[in-house]
Amino acid sequence: QVRLVESGGGLVQAGGSLRLSCAYSGGTYTMGWFRQAPGKEREFVAAVNWSGGGGTDYADSVKGRFTISRVHARNTVYLQMNNLKPEDTAVYYCAADSDYALSKRAVAYDFWGQGTQVTVSS
């Protein structure tokens, strides 16, 4: 069992930036970020493998704007979000996958955080 706690959400104007953090209680997991807007299904945003370097994947909608990274010494994963758009508004969830392979599928992830709200105003 691993505990995940997200932070860093908030209200920002379009074109602005936010950095989300996900503190996890330890272990060797692939880490992912997902988001869910009202009335929509949860969707993949980004993932990073255990080794971090070179092992990342992004949804097409966020490529070039979002960056996922992790700091093992802090047991923390980050999602830097730049040039935010109103359509990025959602609850953002951090998730941990015990499989080393990167996955865009929510069902592949074993543990989830409680989520943090991101609201982008136009």
Side-chain angles (χ1 to χ4, degrees), residues 2 27-31 50 95-101 107-111:
V2 62
T28 57
Y29 296 95
T30 290
M31 301 297 293
W50 165 245
D97 179 5
S98 56
D99 192 330
Y100 287 176
V107 294
Y109 289 78
D110 305 293
F111 305 103

Side-chain angles (χ1 to χ4, degrees), residues 1 3 5 19 30 34 49 53 58 67 71 74 87 90 95 101 116 118:
Q1 188 79 14
R3 184 167 177 258
V5 180
R19 188 177 78 159
T30 290
F34 289 76
N49 68 4
Y58 295 91
T67 302
V71 178
R74 298 177 183 174
E87 52 263 42
T116 186
V118 171

Side-chain angles (χ1 to χ4, degrees), residues 1 4 9 13 30 40 42 52 73-74 89 92 97-98 102:
Q1 188 79 14
L4 308 171
Q13 289 187 333
T30 290
K40 295 188 177 181
R42 190 168 298 188
R74 298 177 183 174
T89 295
Y92 282 71
D97 179 5
S98 56
L102 293 173

Side-chain angles (χ1 to χ4, degrees), residues 8 12 17 26 48 64 67 76 92 107 115:
V12 64
S17 298
V48 59
T67 302
T76 301
Y92 282 71
V107 294

